[in-house]
Amino acid sequence: MKTLALLAAALALPFGAAAQPARGYSAVPATAPTIAAMMTRSTPWKCAADRCVTNRTEGSPLTMCQLAAKELGTLTAFTANGEAFAAEQLAKCNTRAKSA
């Protein structure tokens, strides 16, 4: 029953432009995503408007950022559990960004 409640909560998560999950990750690529969803390793992301989000919290924030950048390209912002990456962290993350 708990699994069903968690799944329902995950599906109900808003994915609009203003959606910033308090837990999980939010990645904002330099170019708005043209995909509705993506997978990084075993983490599902939903994409809408200008960002992709996931409510998963496994893995280090830097690794999650780098995995997102690898799929989406250069990120202009990344948030981990409600806290935005500082410029230095974002620069380190973007070393893994896919080439345009």
Side-chain angles (χ1 to χ4, degrees):
M1 192 60 122
K2 185 177 180 181
T3 302
L4 184 57
L6 290 172
L7 179 60
L11 294 174
L13 182 67
F15 294 110
Q20 292 262 355
R23 293 195 41 84
Y25 304 104
S26 172
V28 181
T31 303
T34 57
I35 53 176
M38 69 175 184
M39 260 325 237
T40 58
R41 292 188 183 159
S42 62
T43 302
W45 296 73
K46 297 285 185 180
C47 303
D50 67 340
R51 73 189 67 238
C52 295
V53 299
T54 183
N55 61 359
R56 293 269 177 106
T57 58
E58 299 91 29
S60 80
L62 178 60
T63 299
M64 295 303 290
C65 184
Q66 289 174 331
L67 290 170
K70 184 176 178 183
E71 294 296 320
L72 298 168
T74 301
L75 301 180
T76 59
F78 189 81
T79 304
N81 298 317
E83 294 190 31
F85 266 29
E88 307 81 45
Q89 290 173 297
L90 194 58
K92 190 170 184 180
C93 167
N94 279 323
T95 62
R96 297 279 195 258
K98 72 175 183 179
S99 300

Short mmCIF file of all heavy atoms in Angstrom, two decimals, residues 41-76:
data_model
loop_
_atom_site.label_atom_id
_atom_site.label_comp_id
_atom_site.label_asym_id
_atom_site.label_seq_id
_atom_site.Cartn_x
_atom_site.Cartn_y
_atom_site.Cartn_z
N ARG A 41 20.78 6.44 -15.71
CA ARG A 41 20.97 5.19 -14.96
C ARG A 41 19.60 4.64 -14.59
O ARG A 41 18.83 4.31 -15.48
CB ARG A 41 21.88 5.38 -13.77
CG ARG A 41 23.31 5.69 -14.17
CD ARG A 41 24.24 5.68 -13.01
NE ARG A 41 25.57 6.06 -13.43
CZ ARG A 41 26.48 6.52 -12.61
NH1 ARG A 41 26.23 6.65 -11.32
NH2 ARG A 41 27.66 6.85 -13.06
N SER A 42 19.24 4.60 -13.33
CA SER A 42 17.93 4.07 -12.95
C SER A 42 17.00 5.16 -12.45
O SER A 42 16.00 4.88 -11.79
CB SER A 42 18.10 2.99 -11.87
OG SER A 42 18.69 3.57 -10.72
N THR A 43 17.28 6.41 -12.79
CA THR A 43 16.48 7.52 -12.31
C THR A 43 15.60 8.10 -13.43
O THR A 43 16.12 8.59 -14.43
CB THR A 43 17.38 8.65 -11.76
OG1 THR A 43 18.18 8.11 -10.71
CG2 THR A 43 16.56 9.81 -11.24
N PRO A 44 14.27 8.02 -13.27
CA PRO A 44 13.38 8.62 -14.26
C PRO A 44 13.21 10.12 -14.01
O PRO A 44 13.07 10.56 -12.87
CB PRO A 44 12.06 7.87 -14.03
CG PRO A 44 12.10 7.52 -12.57
CD PRO A 44 13.55 7.30 -12.23
N TRP A 45 13.26 10.89 -15.06
CA TRP A 45 13.06 12.34 -15.01
C TRP A 45 11.85 12.68 -15.88
O TRP A 45 11.62 12.04 -16.91
CB TRP A 45 14.27 13.07 -15.59
CG TRP A 45 15.55 12.92 -14.87
CD1 TRP A 45 16.36 11.82 -14.83
CD2 TRP A 45 16.23 13.93 -14.11
NE1 TRP A 45 17.48 12.06 -14.08
CE2 TRP A 45 17.43 13.36 -13.63
CE3 TRP A 45 15.94 15.25 -13.79
CZ2 TRP A 45 18.33 14.07 -12.86
CZ3 TRP A 45 16.84 15.96 -13.02
CH2 TRP A 45 18.03 15.37 -12.56
N LYS A 46 11.11 13.69 -15.49
CA LYS A 46 10.01 14.24 -16.29
C LYS A 46 10.43 15.64 -16.73
O LYS A 46 10.98 16.41 -15.93
CB LYS A 46 8.71 14.34 -15.48
CG LYS A 46 8.18 13.03 -15.01
CD LYS A 46 7.55 12.27 -16.13
CE LYS A 46 6.93 11.00 -15.59
NZ LYS A 46 6.31 10.21 -16.61
N CYS A 47 10.18 15.96 -17.98
CA CYS A 47 10.58 17.26 -18.52
C CYS A 47 9.36 18.03 -19.00
O CYS A 47 8.45 17.46 -19.61
CB CYS A 47 11.54 17.07 -19.68
SG CYS A 47 13.02 16.11 -19.26
N ALA A 48 9.35 19.32 -18.71
CA ALA A 48 8.30 20.21 -19.18
C ALA A 48 8.82 21.63 -19.12
O ALA A 48 9.68 21.95 -18.29
CB ALA A 48 7.05 20.08 -18.31
N ALA A 49 8.32 22.44 -20.01
CA ALA A 49 8.71 23.86 -20.08
C ALA A 49 10.22 23.98 -20.19
O ALA A 49 10.80 23.53 -21.17
CB ALA A 49 8.14 24.63 -18.90
N ASP A 50 10.88 24.51 -19.15
CA ASP A 50 12.31 24.79 -19.25
C ASP A 50 13.19 23.84 -18.45
O ASP A 50 14.40 24.05 -18.38
CB ASP A 50 12.58 26.22 -18.80
CG ASP A 50 12.31 26.43 -17.31
OD1 ASP A 50 11.57 25.62 -16.71
OD2 ASP A 50 12.84 27.39 -16.74
N ARG A 51 12.63 22.80 -17.83
CA ARG A 51 13.43 21.97 -16.92
C ARG A 51 12.99 20.50 -16.93
O ARG A 51 11.92 20.17 -17.41
CB ARG A 51 13.37 22.51 -15.51
CG ARG A 51 12.04 22.26 -14.80
CD ARG A 51 11.92 23.00 -13.48
NE ARG A 51 11.87 24.43 -13.73
CZ ARG A 51 12.74 25.31 -13.21
NH1 ARG A 51 13.65 24.92 -12.36
NH2 ARG A 51 12.66 26.58 -13.51
N CYS A 52 13.86 19.69 -16.33
CA CYS A 52 13.55 18.29 -16.07
C CYS A 52 13.69 18.08 -14.57
O CYS A 52 14.60 18.64 -13.95
CB CYS A 52 14.50 17.36 -16.82
SG CYS A 52 14.35 17.45 -18.61
N VAL A 53 12.78 17.30 -13.98
CA VAL A 53 12.79 17.08 -12.54
C VAL A 53 12.62 15.60 -12.23
O VAL A 53 12.06 14.84 -13.01
CB VAL A 53 11.69 17.89 -11.80
CG1 VAL A 53 11.88 19.37 -11.99
CG2 VAL A 53 10.30 17.47 -12.27
N THR A 54 13.11 15.22 -11.06
CA THR A 54 12.88 13.89 -10.51
C THR A 54 12.74 14.02 -9.01
O THR A 54 13.36 14.89 -8.40
CB THR A 54 14.02 12.90 -10.86
OG1 THR A 54 13.69 11.61 -10.35
CG2 THR A 54 15.36 13.35 -10.31
N ASN A 55 11.92 13.18 -8.43
CA ASN A 55 11.77 13.22 -6.97
C ASN A 55 12.69 12.21 -6.30
O ASN A 55 12.67 12.06 -5.09
CB ASN A 55 10.31 13.01 -6.54
CG ASN A 55 9.76 11.68 -6.99
OD1 ASN A 55 10.42 10.89 -7.64
ND2 ASN A 55 8.50 11.44 -6.67
N ARG A 56 13.51 11.52 -7.07
CA ARG A 56 14.49 10.60 -6.52
C ARG A 56 15.56 11.37 -5.76
O ARG A 56 15.89 12.50 -6.12
CB ARG A 56 15.18 9.79 -7.62
CG ARG A 56 14.27 8.83 -8.34
CD ARG A 56 14.30 7.47 -7.67
NE ARG A 56 13.41 6.55 -8.28
CZ ARG A 56 13.79 5.55 -9.04
NH1 ARG A 56 15.06 5.36 -9.33
NH2 ARG A 56 12.90 4.72 -9.54
N THR A 57 16.13 10.76 -4.74
CA THR A 57 17.17 11.43 -3.96
C THR A 57 18.43 10.58 -3.82
O THR A 57 19.33 10.94 -3.09
CB THR A 57 16.66 11.80 -2.56
OG1 THR A 57 16.23 10.62 -1.89
CG2 THR A 57 15.53 12.80 -2.62
N GLU A 58 18.48 9.45 -4.52
CA GLU A 58 19.66 8.60 -4.46
C GLU A 58 20.81 9.26 -5.21
O GLU A 58 20.62 10.05 -6.10
CB GLU A 58 19.40 7.22 -5.09
CG GLU A 58 18.32 6.43 -4.43
CD GLU A 58 16.96 6.67 -5.04
OE1 GLU A 58 16.88 6.98 -6.23
OE2 GLU A 58 15.97 6.56 -4.31
N GLY A 59 22.02 8.87 -4.85
CA GLY A 59 23.19 9.36 -5.56
C GLY A 59 23.63 10.72 -5.06
O GLY A 59 22.88 11.46 -4.44
N SER A 60 24.87 11.05 -5.37
CA SER A 60 25.37 12.36 -4.95
C SER A 60 24.79 13.43 -5.88
O SER A 60 24.56 13.18 -7.06
CB SER A 60 26.90 12.39 -5.02
OG SER A 60 27.34 12.59 -6.34
N PRO A 61 24.53 14.61 -5.35
CA PRO A 61 24.00 15.69 -6.19
C PRO A 61 24.89 16.00 -7.40
O PRO A 61 24.38 16.21 -8.50
CB PRO A 61 23.91 16.87 -5.23
CG PRO A 61 23.68 16.24 -3.90
CD PRO A 61 24.53 14.99 -3.93
N LEU A 62 26.21 15.99 -7.22
CA LEU A 62 27.10 16.28 -8.35
C LEU A 62 26.96 15.21 -9.43
O LEU A 62 26.86 15.53 -10.61
CB LEU A 62 28.56 16.40 -7.90
CG LEU A 62 29.56 16.65 -9.03
CD1 LEU A 62 29.24 17.94 -9.78
CD2 LEU A 62 30.98 16.67 -8.51
N THR A 63 26.91 13.95 -9.03
CA THR A 63 26.76 12.87 -10.01
C THR A 63 25.43 13.01 -10.74
O THR A 63 25.38 12.86 -11.96
CB THR A 63 26.85 11.49 -9.33
OG1 THR A 63 28.15 11.37 -8.73
CG2 THR A 63 26.63 10.36 -10.30
N MET A 64 24.36 13.30 -10.01
CA MET A 64 23.05 13.45 -10.65
C MET A 64 23.06 14.62 -11.63
O MET A 64 22.50 14.54 -12.72
CB MET A 64 21.97 13.64 -9.59
CG MET A 64 21.77 12.41 -8.72
SD MET A 64 21.37 10.90 -9.64
CE MET A 64 19.73 11.31 -10.19
N CYS A 65 23.72 15.70 -11.25
CA CYS A 65 23.84 16.86 -12.13
C CYS A 65 24.61 16.49 -13.40
O CYS A 65 24.19 16.82 -14.51
CB CYS A 65 24.52 18.01 -11.39
SG CYS A 65 24.63 19.55 -12.34
N GLN A 66 25.72 15.80 -13.24
CA GLN A 66 26.53 15.41 -14.39
C GLN A 66 25.78 14.46 -15.31
O GLN A 66 25.88 14.57 -16.54
CB GLN A 66 27.84 14.79 -13.92
CG GLN A 66 28.78 15.81 -13.31
CD GLN A 66 30.02 15.20 -12.71
OE1 GLN A 66 30.03 14.06 -12.26
NE2 GLN A 66 31.09 15.98 -12.69
N LEU A 67 24.99 13.55 -14.75
CA LEU A 67 24.19 12.65 -15.57
C LEU A 67 23.14 13.42 -16.36
O LEU A 67 22.90 13.13 -17.54
CB LEU A 67 23.54 11.57 -14.71
CG LEU A 67 24.50 10.53 -14.12
CD1 LEU A 67 23.77 9.67 -13.08
CD2 LEU A 67 25.10 9.66 -15.21
N ALA A 68 22.52 14.40 -15.73
CA ALA A 68 21.53 15.23 -16.42
C ALA A 68 22.20 16.04 -17.52
O ALA A 68 21.69 16.14 -18.65
CB ALA A 68 20.81 16.14 -15.44
N ALA A 69 23.35 16.63 -17.23
CA ALA A 69 24.07 17.43 -18.22
C ALA A 69 24.52 16.57 -19.40
O ALA A 69 24.51 17.04 -20.55
CB ALA A 69 25.27 18.12 -17.57
N LYS A 70 24.87 15.34 -19.13
CA LYS A 70 25.28 14.43 -20.20
C LYS A 70 24.14 14.20 -21.18
O LYS A 70 24.35 14.09 -22.38
CB LYS A 70 25.73 13.10 -19.59
CG LYS A 70 26.27 12.13 -20.59
CD LYS A 70 26.78 10.88 -19.91
CE LYS A 70 27.29 9.88 -20.94
NZ LYS A 70 27.72 8.63 -20.31
N GLU A 71 22.91 14.18 -20.68
CA GLU A 71 21.73 13.97 -21.53
C GLU A 71 21.19 15.26 -22.14
O GLU A 71 20.76 15.27 -23.28
CB GLU A 71 20.61 13.30 -20.72
CG GLU A 71 20.92 11.90 -20.26
CD GLU A 71 21.09 10.93 -21.42
OE1 GLU A 71 20.33 11.00 -22.40
OE2 GLU A 71 22.01 10.10 -21.35
N LEU A 72 21.22 16.34 -21.36
CA LEU A 72 20.55 17.58 -21.76
C LEU A 72 21.48 18.65 -22.35
O LEU A 72 21.01 19.59 -22.96
CB LEU A 72 19.83 18.20 -20.55
CG LEU A 72 18.72 17.35 -19.94
CD1 LEU A 72 18.31 17.93 -18.59
CD2 LEU A 72 17.54 17.26 -20.89
N GLY A 73 22.76 18.52 -22.12
CA GLY A 73 23.70 19.56 -22.53
C GLY A 73 23.94 20.50 -21.37
O GLY A 73 23.58 20.22 -20.22
N THR A 74 24.57 21.61 -21.64
CA THR A 74 24.94 22.57 -20.60
C THR A 74 23.72 22.99 -19.78
O THR A 74 22.68 23.34 -20.34
CB THR A 74 25.59 23.82 -21.22
OG1 THR A 74 26.75 23.38 -21.94
CG2 THR A 74 25.99 24.82 -20.16
N LEU A 75 23.88 22.96 -18.47
CA LEU A 75 22.81 23.36 -17.56
C LEU A 75 23.05 24.79 -17.08
O LEU A 75 24.19 25.17 -16.80
CB LEU A 75 22.74 22.43 -16.35
CG LEU A 75 22.51 20.95 -16.64
CD1 LEU A 75 22.46 20.15 -15.34
CD2 LEU A 75 21.25 20.72 -17.45
N THR A 76 21.99 25.56 -16.99
CA THR A 76 22.09 26.93 -16.45
C THR A 76 21.74 26.95 -14.97
O THR A 76 22.04 27.93 -14.28
CB THR A 76 21.18 27.90 -17.20
OG1 THR A 76 19.83 27.45 -17.11
CG2 THR A 76 21.58 28.00 -18.67
#
